Amino acid sequence: MHSGQKLLSYMTLLETSSPSPVGCIKEDMNGNRLSGVEAFEEVMRSYIHPRLTHIEGRAIEDLYGAFARGDVETAFRIDRSLRTKTCPNEIDTEMRRSGRKVLKLSKSLYPWINFAPFAEALQTGQAFGCLPLCYAWINFNLEIEPEQAVTAYLYHHTTLYVDHCARLLNLDDVTRRKLLMRMIDDVSERWSRARTTTEPAFMSADAYGTPIQKTL
């Protein structure tokens, strides 16, 4: 199967496993109830997109590197680091459930992939089970190029957030499509900038040393 078809098949699986984004946006940057598109865009640009690109996107690339070296210890360290850098305590359960659901569904769709190291690490607490870890492992085994995998991940999650906003604010379809185009352009630009950073996201002890603290 062509890599593009493999990725499409997997993204369809991902769609069924994540009906809403982790940490649905319900408040603006001041902690008030989300009241309009402008407030939503501010949260996306100030918090969600920096997290998706500079942390999760780059982590997926680093996970690919670890898998290529057969270095699962580093992969699990990246996973634990993702947990502390992207996930407020109140959405721990949601984040873990999303990653494990993807893992469970993937076992049925791709029985030839070896998930044993992950199952053991999750059981012993060596790994937290963040979605990027599961996502990167599956796409690595499907021989999807890392850049293609990251781009699909960013677009998928940006779309989930926009769809959530459209339901919350009762946006019409035209407004939703325009909002999605703006958000896709923004996350694409941010990913382009993130990739020019020379220091790997998780290979340095000082990289991303301070978690993003904004409220979802």
Side-chain angles (χ1 to χ4, degrees):
M1 185 185 294
H2 187 271
S3 63
Q5 293 175 306
K6 291 179 183 178
L7 184 57
L8 177 61
S9 175
Y10 178 66
M11 294 310 294
T12 301
L13 165 70
L14 194 61
E15 186 73 33
T16 65
S17 68
S18 48
S20 62
V22 172
C24 295
I25 300 173
K26 298 179 181 178
E27 299 177 347
D28 62 22
M29 298 296 289
N30 297 316
N32 300 316
R33 181 174 175 79
L34 194 69
S35 59
V37 171
E38 294 79 8
F40 169 79
E41 289 194 50
E42 185 180 13
V43 177
M44 290 292 285
R45 296 176 191 275
S46 299
Y47 173 67
I48 302 298
H49 283 171
R51 188 201 78 198
L52 287 175
T53 54
H54 288 272
I55 297 181
E56 295 183 37
R58 298 202 65 211
I60 291 171
E61 286 195 327
D62 286 345
L63 285 163
Y64 260 79
F67 295 146
R69 299 189 302 272
D71 186 359
V72 294
E73 296 298 326
T74 292
F76 296 152
R77 179 167 64 84
I78 292 172
D79 174 65
R80 295 193 301 271
S81 182
L82 275 170
R83 153 66 188 89
T84 62
K85 297 176 190 306
T86 68
C87 182
N89 291 334
E90 62 268 21
I91 60 174
D92 271 3
T93 301
E94 183 182 353
M95 190 175 192
R96 187 191 298 264
R97 182 171 59 243
S98 180
R100 294 193 179 199
K101 186 176 181 182
V102 167
L103 206 58
K104 181 178 179 180
L105 292 172
S106 299
K107 289 179 181 179
S108 300
L109 188 60
Y110 310 115
W112 50 270
I113 295 179
N114 179 19
F115 291 103
F118 295 90
E120 181 179 351
L122 291 172
Q123 185 174 5
T124 61
Q126 187 180 7
F128 179 77
C130 292
L131 183 58
L133 173 70
C134 308
Y135 179 86
W137 177 244
I138 294 162
N139 280 274
F140 175 81
N141 279 275
L142 293 178
E143 299 180 336
I144 305 298
E145 291 297 320
E147 171 61 16
Q148 188 180 15
V150 174
T151 299
Y153 183 91
L154 299 177
Y155 289 3
H156 169 74
H157 284 84
T158 295
T159 301
L160 285 180
Y161 278 106
V162 170
D163 287 346
H164 164 72
C165 173
R167 291 191 297 271
L168 187 67
L169 300 178
N170 295 315
L171 303 181
D172 61 75
D173 193 51
V174 172
T175 302
R176 176 202 164 276
R177 288 200 303 268
K178 290 181 178 180
L179 174 61
L180 179 60
M181 290 176 63
R182 292 196 298 273
M183 293 297 91
I184 291 294
D185 287 344
D186 184 71
V187 80
S188 298
E189 180 183 349
R190 288 177 184 276
W191 176 236
S192 179
R193 293 203 302 267
R195 298 198 72 218
T196 63
T197 304
T198 57
E199 185 179 32
F202 290 92
M203 298 302 103
S204 166
D206 297 327
Y208 302 103
T210 304
I212 297 175
Q213 298 292 338
K214 298 299 182 182
T215 301
L216 286 176

